[in-house]
Amino acid sequence: MCSSDLVQKLDQVEHLREQFKGDKPLVIVGANLDAETDRAREFLKKKPLPWQHALLGDWSATDVPRRFAISNVPAYVLVGPDGRILAHEFSLDAVEAKLEQLATAHHDTRR
């Protein structure tokens, strides 16, 4: 993914974070799987983001992709407060739809 595409995706993630903040805000954790972690650090210095980042290194250096069934990037995994995986998506539109569904279900249970 080229840098401008990456920045656009990160901006979309930030938009979702802002859109779904409330009494139970959306918490974002970025996981970077670049073999060159210094390059990722430099990118984050140039494009500071308001969420935590895990610089995991090369795919072979971590079991995180396997544990979350990630075979391609970018991938988006929604994890509930109880630690259960609620959704595994490759599209931010699909993530947004799932978040809206979850927010509606949460709102309905509060009535």
Side-chain angles (χ1 to χ4, degrees):
M1 177 179 294
C2 78
S3 185
S4 64
D5 290 342
L6 174 62
V7 170
Q8 182 180 12
K9 295 277 187 205
L10 293 172
D11 289 345
Q12 289 175 301
V13 170
E14 172 56 10
H15 173 76
L16 287 176
R17 191 181 73 84
E18 286 292 320
Q19 182 179 343
F20 289 97
K21 67 181 180 183
D23 64 331
K24 292 189 177 185
L26 176 63
V27 176
I28 307 290
V29 177
N32 182 288
L33 292 165
D34 287 332
E36 299 174 29
T37 56
D38 288 342
R39 202 168 128 202
R41 279 188 189 88
E42 285 302 314
F43 176 83
L44 290 170
K45 285 180 186 174
K46 293 176 188 171
K47 173 79 174 158
L49 296 165
W51 56 78
Q52 294 295 313
H53 298 274
L55 302 179
L56 302 175
D58 189 69
W59 287 71
S60 62
T62 178
D63 70 340
V64 171
R66 181 188 55 76
R67 291 177 62 201
F68 288 95
I70 295 171
S71 59
N72 206 354
V73 291
Y76 308 96
V77 181
L78 293 177
V79 180
D82 61 358
R84 286 187 15 236
I85 294 176
L86 304 175
H88 184 273
E89 303 292 346
F90 294 101
S91 152
L92 282 170
D93 291 335
V95 170
E96 183 173 13
K98 183 65 176 180
L99 287 168
E100 288 172 353
Q101 175 191 1
L102 292 168
T104 299
H106 176 72
H107 179 73
D108 290 345
T109 61
R110 293 177 69 191
R111 287 184 186 178

